[in-house]
Amino acid sequence: AQMWFTPGKMFVIKSMTSSEARFFNSIAKDYCEHMTKQAESLLPKFYGVFGLWSPDQFSAGMHESALEFEPGDPRGWWPEPAAWLVVMQNIFDTPLEIHLKFDLKGSTVNRNVRTKPLQDADFVRRQRRQTVYKDCDLTGLGEHATATELAESEDRSACRKVRMGRLMKMILMQQLQVDTQFLQKHGIMDYSFLLGIHNVPEDQIEEKGSKKVRTLIPLKRGSAATVDAATVSKIKASLTTPEKKASVITQKNKSKSPYVSMFRRHHGGILSEVFRGPTAPRKGATAKGIVPANDQSPGKSADSEKRKQQVYFLGIIDCLQTYTAAKMAETGLKGIVHDWTKVSSVPPHMYASRFVKFIDSIIE
């Protein structure tokens, strides 16, 4: 698929196949109902699907009356579009720089990026910002991951856990369960959890106090506000039942300012807890993975680690793939060489369960 960004990168325009366009059309009503009820949904926010035709597709002798009806109307005649495009919200619509990107599926087979050792540190940093890493790059558990790849930067070792706090994790996992149930209901699999990470400069680290949760809310572009901890508690309580949640959403819709998801309130992302990270790349890296960030081996002092904080940008992407015959064949073929339960292509119910379990394992 090809992707383009609108000026300002608020929206993404992505090409799609005709089968994906038809499938989305078949679930569009359910999708709209789901997104209306689930204000915190992590699913892509689709704003429109468009078909593109070229003049060459219409024969010169065709009567103009054949085009009087809308595409899809049986009374008219329209050729298959030359291309399909979908417009959606950009998860990385933020003024902050994204230092690391991950595409996570919960699979461990061939889910790592092969990188070549580079000597130029500046070039390595630029390459890292452009590369989209995968599951095994985050966990360090891939059978093909080398010590050089895993230890090439302190940034990646510090990102092995997403540290958003117990409350935010609980809210996110509840929403993830709801969203994956929707995808499973419609036979969708092979979707990804897109994660972007911004490393907050040390002199800008914010401690989360008990009285104020210092979270920036972009109510309008260029403006911000703070949220009291009491407000967060109310939103937490609102997630206990669908009725309470619907009531809160209705009240928010009546307000003048548009509702902003809890997962996008700090410059479009989630502000992490403050944690300790290594001041230099670990020397204990092995072929099986790097030393965990919370490792307290003998002789290691907390003073050797510096305070760190990150902003996380996240959401589910690529959620228009169903478990077709081709995908079933892929499961069988890859299952000959690997454990078939760990390959990317598995049935929707198994994919959803594994996906949620993996995301739960990397968040604390």
Side-chain angles (χ1 to χ4, degrees), residues 42 77 81 113 137 152 174 180 245 249-250 278 303 325 345 357:
L42 297 164
W77 180 89
V113 176
D137 298 303
E152 69 175 359
Q174 285 181 350
T180 53
K245 186 171 183 179
I249 294 172
T250 301
D303 295 336
S345 180
K357 184 177 179 179

Side-chain angles (χ1 to χ4, degrees), residues 201-239:
E202 192 171 7
D203 60 347
Q204 297 178 19
I205 290 179
E206 302 180 14
E207 290 283 359
K208 293 185 177 181
S210 58
K211 294 183 179 180
K212 283 281 186 180
V213 178
R214 300 184 63 190
T215 303
L216 299 179
I217 308 177
L219 300 177
K220 296 180 181 179
R221 297 186 76 79
S223 64
T226 59
V227 178
D228 292 327
T231 303
V232 176
S233 299
K234 290 181 180 179
I235 297 175
K236 173 185 174 183
S238 73
L239 297 175

Side-chain angles (χ1 to χ4, degrees), residues 56 61 80 83 85 100 110 112 140 174 215 242 288 304 327 346 356:
D56 296 338
E80 180 71 17
L85 299 176
L100 281 171
N110 297 327
N112 67 300
Q174 285 181 350
T215 303
K288 294 183 179 180
S304 65
K327 286 294 181 180
V346 293
V356 172

Side-chain angles (χ1 to χ4, degrees), residues 51-351:
L52 300 182
W53 287 266
S54 66
D56 296 338
Q57 290 181 268
F58 300 95
S59 59
M62 186 175 59
H63 197 273
E64 292 182 0
S65 61
L67 301 178
E68 291 179 356
F69 304 99
E70 293 294 327
D73 192 318
R75 295 174 296 174
W77 180 89
W78 284 75
E80 180 71 17
W84 287 98
L85 299 176
V86 59
V87 179
M88 66 188 86
Q89 183 182 44
N90 181 14
I91 294 175
F92 297 153
D93 175 26
T94 175
L96 302 180
E97 182 180 6
I98 307 297
H99 296 115
L100 281 171
K101 302 173 187 175
F102 292 91
D103 181 296
L104 309 171
K105 293 178 179 286
S107 169
T108 57
V109 176
N110 297 327
R111 294 293 297 167
N112 67 300
V113 176
R114 305 291 182 86
T115 57
K116 297 180 179 180
L118 298 172
Q119 301 299 325
D120 187 345
D122 291 334
F123 185 81
V124 170
R125 294 190 187 96
R126 290 196 299 271
Q127 184 190 53
R128 190 183 307 130
R129 283 157 173 73
Q130 297 173 357
T131 302
V132 180
Y133 294 102
K134 300 181 181 180
D135 306 60
C136 296
D137 298 303
L138 181 68
T139 63
L141 299 177
E143 57 184 348
H144 301 297
T146 66
T148 301
E149 293 171 334
L150 292 171
E152 69 175 359
S153 74
E154 62 173 346
D155 289 338
R156 202 188 301 185
S157 65
C159 295
R160 297 186 69 209
K161 286 290 185 179
V162 177
R163 302 169 175 86
M164 62 177 62
R166 294 177 59 187
L167 171 59
M168 189 60 72
K169 176 181 178 178
M170 183 194 72
I171 296 173
L172 184 138
M173 294 310 301
Q174 285 181 350
Q175 187 59 57
L176 201 64
Q177 287 277 6
V178 174
D179 288 336
T180 53
Q181 287 173 7
F182 171 84
L183 298 174
Q184 180 182 334
K185 171 186 173 182
H186 292 282
I188 300 172
M189 44 76 69
D190 210 22
Y191 41 89
S192 299
F193 188 84
L194 184 62
L195 171 65
I197 299 176
H198 167 77
N199 295 315
V200 179
E202 192 171 7
D203 60 347
Q204 297 178 19
I205 290 179
E206 302 180 14
E207 290 283 359
K208 293 185 177 181
S210 58
K211 294 183 179 180
K212 283 281 186 180
V213 178
R214 300 184 63 190
T215 303
L216 299 179
I217 308 177
L219 300 177
K220 296 180 181 179
R221 297 186 76 79
S223 64
T226 59
V227 178
D228 292 327
T231 303
V232 176
S233 299
K234 290 181 180 179
I235 297 175
K236 173 185 174 183
S238 73
L239 297 175
T240 55
T241 63
E243 292 77 12
K244 287 184 178 181
K245 186 171 183 179
S247 176
V248 171
I249 294 172
T250 301
Q251 292 176 9
K252 291 183 180 297
N253 289 338
K254 292 180 180 179
S255 64
K256 295 181 180 180
S257 301
Y259 178 68
V260 180
S261 168
M262 292 188 69
F263 309 131
R264 297 187 61 84
R265 293 186 178 177
H266 188 91
H267 294 295
I270 302 173
L271 184 65
S272 80
E273 301 284 340
V274 178
F275 60 94
R276 294 283 176 177
T279 56
R282 301 284 189 181
K283 295 181 180 180
T286 67
K288 294 183 179 180
I290 53 178
V291 176
N294 59 357
D295 176 44
Q296 294 296 327
S297 56
K300 181 186 298 182
S301 170
D303 295 336
S304 65
E305 299 184 338
K306 62 182 180 181
R307 294 165 67 249
K308 290 190 174 184
Q309 193 171 41
Q310 297 169 330
V311 182
Y312 305 120
F313 304 89
L314 44 84
I316 299 175
I317 61 171
D318 300 336
C319 57
L320 293 177
Q321 176 63 58
T322 56
Y323 196 51
T324 60
K327 286 294 181 180
M328 294 179 189
E330 181 182 338
T331 304
L333 291 174
K334 288 186 177 180
I336 297 175
V337 181
H338 308 279
D339 180 352
W340 75 274
T341 62
K342 296 181 180 180
V343 301
S344 177
S345 180
V346 293
H349 69 281
M350 183 181 296
Y351 193 96

